[in-house]
Amino acid sequence: DTVKNRLIAEVHFYFNDTSSTDDMLKRVKSRFIDNNINVIIGEFGMKGDPSNENSVSERRYYAQYFVTKCREAGVMGCFCWDDGGTFSDAQSINNYAMLDRTNCQWYDQRLVDTIMSSATAHQ
């Protein structure tokens, strides 16, 4: 940081469980945010699992949890990771895909809405 107060830390996070999220955010807050270093989550994602009939709802829940906890901890912003792929629907996703790149449509508009509303809640 050669210019005072111009440092931002970036973190990538791919664990889809609340305990790991809480642990990571505790460390990020203690190390950076509490020391006046802004933080962005440069990549985070919720991996789909076609063999799990609850995969779509679990992705929504985790996205809401993750983005809300980041906002509460003072993280400046979160960026979703989408590693591509073409799927028939949201339930068939087996990676971090969110956008059907062939037609520029979200696989799960409710997932996107959940992320956006969680990021802006209580502001």
Side-chain angles (χ1 to χ4, degrees):
D1 189 9
T2 59
V3 178
K4 293 226 180 264
N5 301 317
R6 298 284 187 243
L7 189 63
I8 295 177
E10 178 185 5
V11 176
H12 294 190
F13 194 75
Y14 293 101
F15 295 100
N16 289 13
D17 68 87
T18 57
S19 177
S20 294
T21 297
D22 293 344
D23 291 344
M24 181 272 300
L25 285 173
K26 183 178 178 182
R27 291 190 314 272
V28 165
K29 184 170 180 353
S30 173
R31 175 67 176 101
F32 299 114
I33 296 169
D34 290 347
N35 290 300
N36 298 315
I37 298 171
N38 291 313
V39 173
I40 61 171
I41 306 298
E43 293 178 9
F44 83 99
M46 302 78 51
K47 192 170 187 176
D49 178 3
S51 68
N52 175 358
E53 66 184 36
N54 298 316
S55 181
V56 173
S57 61
E58 287 174 6
R59 285 181 91 194
R60 290 176 190 156
Y61 171 79
Y62 182 71
Q64 181 274 327
Y65 186 88
F66 185 84
V67 174
T68 297
K69 290 297 184 175
C70 285
R71 180 181 36 76
E72 290 172 352
V75 171
M76 289 180 68
C78 300
F79 298 85
C80 296
W81 176 246
D82 179 331
D83 57 355
T86 303
F87 302 94
S88 59
D89 57 28
Q91 180 59 44
S92 64
I93 294 170
N94 66 359
N95 64 8
Y96 296 96
M98 294 181 61
L99 181 69
D100 182 340
R101 296 175 187 185
T102 60
N103 63 18
C104 293
Q105 298 291 317
W106 298 114
Y107 286 112
D108 183 0
Q109 182 65 52
R110 284 182 54 197
L111 174 61
V112 175
D113 294 344
T114 296
I115 291 167
M116 297 303 293
S117 64
S118 299
T120 60
H122 310 292
Q123 289 187 1

